[in-house]
Amino acid sequence: YTRIGSITKTFTGTILLQLVDEGLISLDDPVSKYVPDAPNGTATIRQVADMTSGIPSYSTDQGWQDQYFGAPDTVYTPQQLLDIAKTLPAPFAPGEGWQYSNTNYVILGMIAEQLTGQSIEELFHERLFDPLGMDSSSFPGDSAAISSPHLSGITEQGQPAGTTAVATD
């Protein structure tokens, strides 16, 4: 949850669709059914998954950025990230636009945990890594460290214009 990348979102989305297939959740359910304090709580699970929820991204908050780039090894709980998002204005009403939001997949992970009684880490292992033989895959859990070997990444976010910083670890 500290750094949700595209792969993690894909994994979370896959688990979400498994839960839909199992009849535990509907894509048409409002997010507030599972996370009552979610911003734009009338957004459907489908809108949360496809970035049309209008839920603001915690990662756009300047205070979070300052803290994150000052101490990038900080581990945040899903609730902490949701609480940051709740302080931000909703960019649009559910279904009225599209905007990338890291908060959306934090919420979907919280819902998956709630519906199964398992941590997202356990769900990744049980539903994806183990059945697919992904023996070198891991979830950082209580650490921001990424197991080696791994690819390196960079970011422009939180950096002076035209510069990048290593964002891997």
Side-chain angles (χ1 to χ4, degrees), residues 122-144:
E122 291 169 325
L123 291 169
F124 279 18
H125 280 280
E126 180 183 300
R127 291 174 172 260
L128 301 171
F129 299 162
D130 296 343
L132 297 173
M134 298 172 65
D135 300 331
S136 296
S137 297
S138 64
F139 187 86
D142 294 334
S143 169

Side-chain angles (χ1 to χ4, degrees), residues 50-74:
D50 71 12
M51 302 291 178
T52 61
S53 68
I55 294 173
S57 184
Y58 67 84
S59 59
T60 63
D61 178 73
Q62 188 62 53
W64 178 85
Q65 288 182 26
D66 292 345
Q67 183 180 17
Y68 176 74
F69 289 108
D73 58 346
T74 302

Side-chain angles (χ1 to χ4, degrees), residues 10 19 38 40 45 73 90 95 97 112 128 164 169:
T10 300
L19 298 175
N40 268 0
I45 299 300
D73 58 346
L128 301 171
T164 61
D169 295 318

